[in-house]
Amino acid sequence: AKKDGRGVSRFYQQQMDLWIKRRLELENGLRDSLYNDELQVYFQPIVEFKSGEIIGAEALLRWNSNEFGSVSPEEFIPVAEESGLIVQIGDFVMKKAFEQFVRWKKESKGSESLQKIAINISVRQFNRGDFIANIKKLIDSSMIAPENVELEIVESIVIDDVKIAKEKMEELRTLGIKLSIDDFGTGYSSLSYLKQLPFTTLKIDKSFVKDINIDAEDDELIETILNIAKRFNLEVVAEGVETYEQALFLAEKDCEFFQGYYCSKAVNGEAFIDLLNNRETC
Ligand code: C2E
Ligand code: CA
Ligand code: CA
Ligand code: CA
């Protein structure tokens, strides 16, 4: 038994070593990625059910590493967050996304319906003292209207200090910037707590959408979320819509907007123009 125990712990030790090694390699790779031109911002359309029009885009980061190939954001975003690199990387995403949005508006005929560019903000970015000043600077230099900017914040982001978070969010709202609760339903936040915060939009997590018409409990959950959003006066975007059946269910329940492969995956800025110009897209 003693021998077995050692064997097991040796196995775990090896796994840990591998994991730490990968992590360090990724961190070093990410540090270089900004200078090697390996990071790209992609865009997924946000679509209005009623009109079928693309009313917005969510910026999603892509890392095509010379060393590791294409690395999933699910893997490298946490590394960026823990190393602090997310601050620089986050600035890069905003700069690229704002500039791209302004260019679409100026140069693309199909962009009249386009109203917003949504940016994912991580805790580490949000909590910085210069977060708002920094966003102001990026908005000014790209000449985007703040009303066209929506920041996506996961619901767990503000748990640390509600009061400070609330003040920050109110200041952002005063500037005209919109705020959405990302991955709604996956965190631990209570509703009374969320109600205090000046969100404009609620994004239903794709884990609920996945089981539409499969799991009756999830169907009910989505209806409940839609009712909550209505009560709180929030716009709703359903995420991860892949099928006609899911779209139909959500539209019938008066959900206004969706994202998902049913319309399009995230694409680069050029390809997004084609989506905008092709009215049959979604
Ligand atoms: P998220 O904010 O929840 O983004 C939605 C994710 O769902 C994206 O994954 C998107 O590609 C994927 N998705 C969209 N439609 C569908 C669908 O129909 N079916 C399925 N199964 N998936 C769909 P992605 O691009 O891999 O990003 C993963 C996560 O990484 C994001 O989740 C977000 O939390 C984070 N992330 C991505 N870019 C950034 C960024 O610039 N900054 C920060 N802080 N986080 C980012
Ligand atoms: Ca998001
Ligand atoms: Ca999400
Ligand atoms: Ca997510």
Side-chain angles (χ1 to χ4, degrees):
K2 213 173 170 191
K3 204 174 154 203
D4 276 347
R6 264 217 308 275
V8 166
S9 70
R10 197 177 310 125
F11 172 77
Y12 281 118
Q13 189 59 50
Q14 279 166 358
Q15 292 303 302
M16 274 303 268
D17 289 349
L18 274 178
W19 183 79
I20 289 167
K21 184 160 169 275
R22 167 84 175 168
R23 200 122 187 141
L24 280 173
E25 285 173 350
L26 284 180
E27 187 181 325
N28 288 329
L30 262 184
R31 192 164 282 124
D32 297 337
S33 68
L34 280 162
Y35 308 100
N36 296 346
D37 221 19
E38 294 175 351
L39 294 179
Q40 269 196 299
V41 181
Y42 272 43
F43 303 92
Q44 184 176 42
I46 303 171
V47 183
E48 184 180 49
F49 275 116
K50 201 165 50 191
S51 61
E53 304 233 54
I54 296 175
I55 59 93
E58 176 177 1
L60 292 162
L61 193 56
R62 297 290 177 259
W63 181 19
N64 207 330
S65 158
N66 297 328
E67 204 179 340
F68 309 105
S70 150
V71 186
S72 160
E74 307 275 1
E75 186 175 17
F76 74 76
I77 291 289
V79 177
E81 282 171 344
E82 277 156 40
S83 60
L85 286 166
I86 193 68
V87 175
Q88 251 179 300
I89 290 175
D91 281 358
F92 169 84
V93 171
M94 278 194 269
K95 183 169 185 290
K96 291 289 178 196
F98 294 168
E99 286 173 358
Q100 184 60 258
F101 185 89
V102 170
R103 216 170 310 140
W104 287 331
K105 275 302 204 189
K106 221 181 274 165
E107 291 169 13
S108 162
K109 278 206 191 101
S111 71
E112 310 97 61
S113 61
L114 200 65
Q115 293 157 24
K116 70 179 176 188
I117 178 79
I119 312 282
N120 292 287
I121 300 295
S122 73
V123 190
R124 187 91 177 229
Q125 281 175 282
F126 183 83
N127 283 342
R128 279 176 67 101
D130 60 359
F131 179 65
I132 292 182
N134 193 35
I135 283 199
K136 265 193 196 158
K137 208 175 66 193
L138 287 162
I139 285 180
D140 285 347
S141 65
S142 65
M143 309 222 283
I144 193 172
E147 289 74 16
N148 291 140
V149 175
E150 185 165 291
L151 305 181
E152 302 200 353
I153 306 178
V154 288
E155 55 171 299
S156 56
I157 207 169
V158 280
I159 272 165
D160 294 345
D161 192 332
V162 188
K163 219 169 136 198
I164 290 179
K166 191 179 170 194
E167 278 168 18
K168 240 182 213 185
M169 291 170 76
E170 272 161 1
E171 197 178 336
L172 290 164
R173 290 291 301 120
T174 305
L175 294 172
I177 296 168
K178 299 193 175 75
L179 300 169
S180 64
I181 319 174
D182 204 357
D183 299 350
F184 185 81
T186 62
Y188 304 96
S189 315
S190 74
L191 282 178
S192 61
Y193 155 82
L194 287 175
K195 209 180 97 180
Q196 302 172 46
L197 301 170
F199 284 110
T200 50
T201 309
L202 183 161
K203 301 192 76 172
I204 302 181
D205 190 67
K206 56 177 179 284
S207 59
F208 300 112
V209 173
K210 187 169 63 90
D211 287 340
I212 283 177
N213 290 337
I214 294 171
D215 184 336
E217 252 173 49
D218 273 353
D219 290 1
E220 260 178 58
L221 252 169
I222 288 184
E223 291 197 54
T224 307
I225 293 172
L226 288 168
N227 285 330
I228 290 167
K230 204 176 269 176
R231 278 281 299 277
F232 288 11
N233 229 339
L234 299 170
E235 288 186 348
V236 186
V237 181
E239 292 190 304
V241 175
E242 293 183 354
T243 67
Y244 173 75
E245 286 72 26
Q246 291 166 346
L248 189 66
F249 175 92
L250 288 158
E252 278 178 347
K253 301 282 187 267
D254 289 333
C255 180
E256 284 174 276
F257 309 101
F258 77 94
Q259 283 175 250
Y261 301 158
Y262 180 58
C263 174
S264 170
K265 62 182 203 283
V267 298
N268 69 33
E270 279 302 306
F272 196 86
I273 295 179
D274 295 336
L275 296 178
L276 286 173
N277 289 337
N278 178 2
R279 293 189 56 93
E280 311 293 293
T281 301
C282 299

